[in-house]
Each structure stands twice: as C-alpha cells, then as structure tokens.
Amino acid sequence: MLIPPISCAANTNRQQSNRHASFPVFGQEIVTRLMELGVVEIFEPGAFLFLRGARDVDMFVVVDGEIEIIEKIGQMTGNTFAVLGRGQFTGELDLLDSRRTLFDCRAITRSRILRINRSMLRQIIRSEIEIADLVMQACMGRRSDIVRDASGGVTLIGHKHSADTIRLLRFLTRNGHPYTMLDPSTNADANSLIHSFDFQQAHLPVVLLGDQTVLRNPSTALLSDELGLTDVSDRTTVYDVAIIGAGPAGLAAAVYAASEGLSTVVIEGNTPGGQAGTSSRIENYLGFPTGVSGQELSDRSLAQAQKFGARFAISRDVVTMRREKNIYALHLEDGEPVTSRTVVIATGARYQKLNLPNYERFEYQGIHYAATAMEAGLCLNQEVVVVGAGNSAGQAALFLSQTSKCVHLLIRGERLETTMSNYLIQRILSSRRISLRVRSEIVRMDGEDCLQEVTWRDNAIGKIESRAISNVFVMIGARPRTQGFCHDLAVDAKGFIMTGGAVASESLFGTNLEAVFAVGDVRSGSVKRVASAVGEGSVVVSDIHKYLASTKKADSAYSVPARGVVPAYMPAVMQALPQGF
C-alpha cells in the first residue's frame, strides 16, 4: 500500500541520532559483498518495507535512497525514530530472534533496497567478523536508545505499589523491553485510558500493546509470548544441549556451546540474568574497571548467545524431565516438550526469606529481592532497610543511598569484614546516608495494603525501634532453585545438586543422571560468585562434547566440530562472494 511521502528533511536531533554509533554505515566494499548474498528490491515513496508487530523481519540495507523508521501510536503514525540513508541498515535485537518488531519502516524517496533474509543473515554474522561487529553494535545501541526513550513500547497502567504491577514492571525492565508506566493515582492520562477502555479497578494492571491489544493482569508467560520473547516455536528440533536457567552460568554455557557449533536452547523461568542480573553494580568483575550493572552484563551475554544461534524460551518453567532412547524431553508449563541430547541445570539460587508474620503478604508490596533503578524509583527520598551482610547487600545499600533519604543496613553479626569485600565496606562506612546497624534484626512488619512500618531489635542491648518504612530489601543466604523436575537428582542437605565424585561422575559437573550436568550457584560446593558461575558454564561445554562424542555411533546426527573445520553453510556463502575476496 502506498501513502503520500512525507518530507525527508531531518531535524537536528534526528541527524545527531543517525550519526550515533547505533547507526553505523556499511562501506561500499561491504555493500558490494552483501549484494551477492541478498536480493535488491525497489520501493516507491511511501511504500512499507515492514510493519510493527511482524516477526522474523529480514534486514534491509539502503543501496540508494532514504527510508524512515516510524513509531506507530495506535492506528496513527507517530514520531520518526530514524532516517536511514545509503549504506545503513534496519533492525535491532529483533534481528537475533523472533521477537516482534517495534516500528514501521517505509521509503521516503524511491529507493533501491538490499534484502538479506534471516537465514543468510545468521550465516553472515557467524562468518563475517567485520559485518557481525557492526550489526551487533547497532542492535545493542538501538535497543538501548529505544528503552531510554520508551519508543515503540507497551503502556502499563497500574498502581506502582501493586504486587502485580511491580511484577510486570520487573519483567519488562529485565527483558529490556520499552514501556510507559501510568499510575492512575497520580496520572490523568491513565484515568482517561481507563474510562476509554471501560476498565475496572479489578482489571488493573493492564498492558496495552502497540496494536491496541489489551492484556488484563497478564501472566509473565502470556506477556512474553505476546512480545515474541520466546523463540522455540519449533518443538520438533532435537537440540544438542538444553540449558535450564539464564543466569551467568547458563548464559556462559549458551555462548560457548552455540559458538562451538552445538544446537542450543535456553529455558528461563522468569527473566535472563539470574540473581546477578539484579545487581546495580558489580565492580570486581574482571575486565570492567569502572564496574558493570547486572542488567548490562545479562543483556550483552544474551545477545552474544543469540549471535551464535542459541534459542531462548523466556518465562517458561520446566515441569518434568524424562529420558527415552538417549533423548531428554523437557515438558514446559504449556505442555509442549523441548527435546535434547544433554541437559545443563543452571537454575541458580534465590535469597532466603525472613521468618516473620505478614512476610508473604508484603512480598513485592514493600519487600524486594533486587535493588535496580526500578526499585529505587519506588522509594525516592524515603528511608529504606537493607537486610544482609554480603556483597549483594552492600551494593544495594550504596546504590539506594544515591536516591533514598537514609538506608538502614541491618546485619546480625558484629562486623562486615568476614562476609563483604573491603572496597564496599569502606564506602559504606564513609557514606552519610547509610546507617550500619550491627547485631540487629527485623522483628515485625506492619501495614494495610502495602508495607508501612518496620520494627527491628538491637540484640546487643535489647532496644526495639519502629520506623515508617515502606521498602525493605532482603539479601540474605541462598536457597537452591531446584524445581520439581529435579526430584531424581542427588542433592546435599541444603538442596544443592551434587556433582562429580560425590555421585561417581567422571565429570566435575556431572550429576547422578547420565547426560545431565549442573553448574553455577545451584551446584553443591560451587563458589557463589559471578566469575565462578561464568567459568563453570564455559567449562562444562567440553564435558558435553566428550559425552556426545562417546555416543555419536548411536546417534550419527552429531559429530564433534574440529577446530578449523569450515561450517556446513560456508561453501554456499563463499561461492556467492566476489572473486578475490
């Protein structure tokens, strides 16, 4: 369908955006190489290349002309996100998986456009380093810009202290999906939308998608499906490795397995990143001298795994795990199985809960297990409590002290030195906004619809103190995330999965079940550190190779990829390249 072309004059902000690293330009040499791998099409002014909400959209490279990326608001054409000229290309993270595209794209002038289909794009990314670097740089940069500007996202209407609203906020934030939050308690636009759609308070929170689809208090699984975050629609594939859990260990295993040619699927029950993904700042992770947030580390690792071809099922729990003829069937909540020759369990650990009356009543309505920008926004200029003496608690206290009136850090011991890194201790002790309360513990929580008052006791002198506090961050201990599907696995007294010699396995990460491995925080005896989890996730891949090699006679579909061997798709790619390349 053609519509009247709009003016191609770009304003200053848009020109600056196009010059940003998010919008690199392919040089003529690269365009010439790509011309042999795609199809050139002509688009008249006003013709659409793709529409918002489409899945598996191809990449389009501008050979001549101009195209624009448009944010669509309801049925109306909204703002222009970017104008692309010669050598520039479309797409962001939607190029790496099957998520829905967030924008419309149409030609401004008569344009010659090179279409690279998804299959060929995956091959190019795996084999062409220069092109892959530019595409990945653009994907990450553009998604960052989109989230920052809330462009092309969903609208979430709900009360900000509601447990379900916080659940959906956390899901959108940690999956890097743009959104606009409207609280009917403080926002007139929210109330207008409520009346327009005839919502009732019982319907809140609601999510409005770009096509005006309304989701009333959706489950995270439903929201994930609607946004296209689950990328395993084909359940007939038998993968070489299925990884359960997308924390640091699971993501590392995915990157190494996929990069070494193993067909890989990752199944995550909530959002990628695990416990580490909720950290506001990790300063002692190798290679990041200025620190890195858990969210950024997770986002980059996820994109890296997808770059090599790993598939992801987000917000999907494994219910049962059964083996038949050397193949494991992992049945997900939707009833459909994912099948794989090997399984890596990397479900991690969760913080322990406080043994207090009313505790579960206030979970996610005042009690939090993460301290990110989202949670910090809920307690701006307020007093908060952080419970815990480990690095996670220290990082949370320091982060929250930047925006909170006062942070009360409660620890049961007498000192932090035995449980927390020195650099965190020094910053906590020098902060004017952090009050360290040793030998103290919470004894009571009170409130009506949400947490309103916290009472703690100083066990050294028996003093009881109550304060009007609405947000408590609990970061103590570690409980293994061993779901029902793990009931056949050997575990230690605390529930962590036993591996290696403890279960007579030749592999350090092997469990008592053949072809099932455990890595990261869920493994008994593991060091509960991000770097350690990443190390275990990467090393376990060599054990997977050994196992698959030992069974390849029974299953000829697998062969161990040798170093230097040209991947199966490369002859076709090389044949299409110009002579002399």
Side-chain angles (χ1 to χ4, degrees):
M1 180 179 71
L2 298 181
I3 65 173
I6 67 167
S7 170
C8 62
N11 60 35
T12 302
N13 290 336
R14 195 169 66 197
Q15 290 173 342
Q16 291 175 346
S17 177
N18 283 7
R19 288 195 295 267
H20 190 268
S22 300
F23 294 90
V25 179
F26 286 148
Q28 187 56 49
E29 181 182 353
I30 290 179
V31 173
T32 301
R33 280 152 48 187
L34 290 175
M35 293 278 280
E36 301 295 329
L37 304 175
V39 177
V40 174
E41 301 177 7
I42 303 296
F43 289 86
E44 299 296 336
F48 282 97
L49 284 70
F50 55 82
L51 297 174
R52 175 176 179 168
R55 294 178 187 251
D56 297 315
V57 174
D58 296 331
M59 184 174 80
F60 295 90
V61 182
V62 180
V63 180
D64 285 304
E66 275 191 322
I67 61 177
E68 64 175 346
I69 309 299
I70 312 165
E71 179 184 5
K72 192 173 184 179
I73 303 174
Q75 300 301 315
M76 304 292 292
T77 297
N79 301 322
T80 297
F81 179 72
V83 171
L84 306 181
R86 178 179 295 181
Q88 293 183 297
F89 54 92
T90 62
E92 42 104 22
L93 289 183
D94 57 1
L95 290 178
L96 304 180
D97 57 22
S98 295
R99 73 183 71 194
R100 298 180 187 275
T101 185
L102 300 176
F103 300 96
D104 290 348
C105 177
R106 67 182 176 188
I108 296 175
T109 63
R110 191 173 192 271
S111 303
R112 280 204 309 150
I113 305 296
L114 174 64
R115 180 194 292 265
I116 306 290
N117 68 45
R118 297 293 288 261
S119 177
M120 181 57 70
L121 178 62
R122 283 192 291 269
Q123 296 172 12
I124 292 170
I125 287 177
R126 289 178 67 95
S127 60
E128 293 272 356
I129 296 176
E130 184 180 6
I131 297 174
D133 286 348
L134 289 173
V135 171
M136 293 303 297
Q137 171 186 306
C139 286
M140 297 297 294
R142 292 175 188 179
R143 177 52 64 129
S144 178
D145 294 343
I146 289 168
V147 171
R148 181 196 63 217
D149 300 335
S151 301
V154 302
T155 300
L156 174 62
I157 304 174
H159 299 283
K160 71 175 185 178
H161 290 296
S162 159
D164 283 318
T165 300
I166 293 173
R167 170 179 59 84
L168 295 173
L169 274 174
R170 182 175 291 111
F171 180 82
L172 292 168
T173 300
R174 293 190 60 189
N175 277 291
H177 194 88
Y179 65 88
T180 299
M181 167 70 188
L182 300 178
D183 186 341
S185 303
T186 58
N187 191 291
D189 290 338
N191 287 302
S192 297
L193 285 170
I194 288 174
H195 291 305
S196 297
F197 286 92
D198 196 25
F199 294 144
Q200 303 297 321
Q201 288 295 321
H203 295 155
L204 300 182
V206 296
V207 178
L208 301 181
L209 304 183
D211 60 1
Q212 299 299 288
T213 296
V214 177
L215 303 178
R216 292 173 169 82
N217 195 13
S219 67
T220 51
L222 174 60
L223 183 56
S224 176
D225 287 347
E226 290 294 333
L227 299 180
L229 299 180
T230 294
D231 194 24
V232 287
S233 55
D234 179 12
R235 300 291 177 90
T236 62
T237 300
V238 178
Y239 293 92
D240 291 322
V241 55
I243 301 165
I244 307 175
L251 289 172
V255 168
Y256 277 81
S259 68
E260 293 181 16
L262 300 180
S263 57
T264 305
V265 62
V266 182
I267 305 167
E268 167 56 46
N270 192 7
T271 56
Q275 199 176 70
T278 67
S279 177
S280 57
R281 191 176 183 85
I282 304 170
E283 289 197 64
N284 57 357
Y285 190 73
L286 187 66
F288 292 88
T290 59
V292 60
S293 72
Q295 180 76 54
E296 182 181 1
L297 193 62
S298 169
D299 290 345
R300 288 177 174 272
S301 302
L302 177 66
Q304 192 174 13
Q306 290 176 322
K307 165 187 172 181
F308 291 117
R311 300 282 187 175
F312 282 79
I314 302 299
S315 195
R316 285 291 185 276
D317 282 320
V318 176
V319 179
T320 62
M321 179 174 70
R322 295 189 178 90
R323 193 183 195 212
E324 185 176 349
K325 296 181 180 179
N326 294 331
I327 300 296
Y328 279 98
L330 307 177
H331 288 266
L332 308 187
E333 286 178 303
D334 59 13
E336 292 293 325
V338 171
T339 54
S340 178
R341 297 177 178 86
T342 65
V343 176
V344 174
I345 300 174
T347 47
R350 58 168 63 91
Y351 293 118
Q352 293 182 359
K353 299 182 179 183
L354 301 179
N355 185 21
L356 292 171
N358 294 330
Y359 186 86
E360 293 186 355
R361 174 184 163 200
F362 294 128
E363 278 191 294
Y364 304 111
Q365 295 190 99
I367 297 174
H368 311 283
Y369 301 99
T372 67
M374 191 207 83
E375 287 83 10
L378 298 174
C379 47
L380 190 66
N381 297 321
Q382 300 176 24
E383 290 187 48
V384 302
V385 169
V386 175
V387 181
N391 279 3
S392 295
Q395 290 161 351
L398 287 167
F399 177 70
L400 293 168
S401 69
Q402 299 174 38
T403 55
S404 300
K405 180 180 178 181
C406 178
V407 178
H408 301 279
L409 178 59
L410 272 60
I411 66 172
R412 289 188 296 179
E414 294 186 356
R415 49 192 296 155
L416 292 169
E417 281 76 6
T418 57
T419 55
M420 189 180 293
S421 295
N422 182 262
Y423 78 94
L424 291 173
I425 296 173
Q426 298 307 315
R427 292 179 186 177
I428 288 170
L429 295 178
S430 63
S431 173
R432 295 181 179 180
R433 290 190 177 183
I434 299 177
S435 173
L436 176 61
R437 297 176 179 268
V438 301
R439 299 186 65 181
S440 298
E441 60 181 322
I442 295 176
V443 294
R444 185 181 176 90
M445 292 181 171
D446 294 289
E448 295 183 3
D449 294 334
C450 59
L451 181 64
Q452 294 173 313
E453 185 178 78
V454 177
T455 302
W456 62 80
R457 179 178 61 232
D458 184 332
N459 291 324
I461 59 177
K463 180 182 177 182
I464 300 292
E465 185 174 357
S466 296
R467 285 184 176 268
I469 289 176
S470 300
N471 292 278
V472 173
F473 296 81
V474 179
M475 298 178 174
I476 57 171
R479 294 181 297 146
R481 290 181 178 270
T482 46
Q483 294 101 321
F485 74 89
C486 296
H487 65 273
D488 290 330
L489 290 165
V491 298
D492 65 15
K494 295 182 178 180
F496 292 93
I497 299 173
M498 298 170 67
T499 61
V503 289
S505 172
E506 294 182 0
S507 165
L508 174 62
F509 308 109
T511 69
N512 60 303
L513 300 182
E514 185 178 2
V516 176
F517 306 86
V519 294
D521 288 2
V522 76
R523 189 178 71 84
S524 177
S526 65
V527 178
K528 307 305 189 257
R529 295 276 188 172
V530 176
S532 176
V534 170
E536 291 191 10
S538 58
V539 172
V540 74
V541 176
S542 63
D543 291 340
I544 293 170
H545 277 305
K546 291 176 184 177
Y547 170 78
L548 292 174
S550 70
T551 60
K552 67 177 180 179
K553 291 183 180 180
D555 185 0
S556 59
Y558 170 81
S559 60
V560 180
R563 294 186 182 276
V565 173
V566 177
Y569 59 78
M570 278 302 294
V573 176
M574 296 302 293
Q575 186 177 16
L577 292 174
Q579 292 295 319
F581 170 69

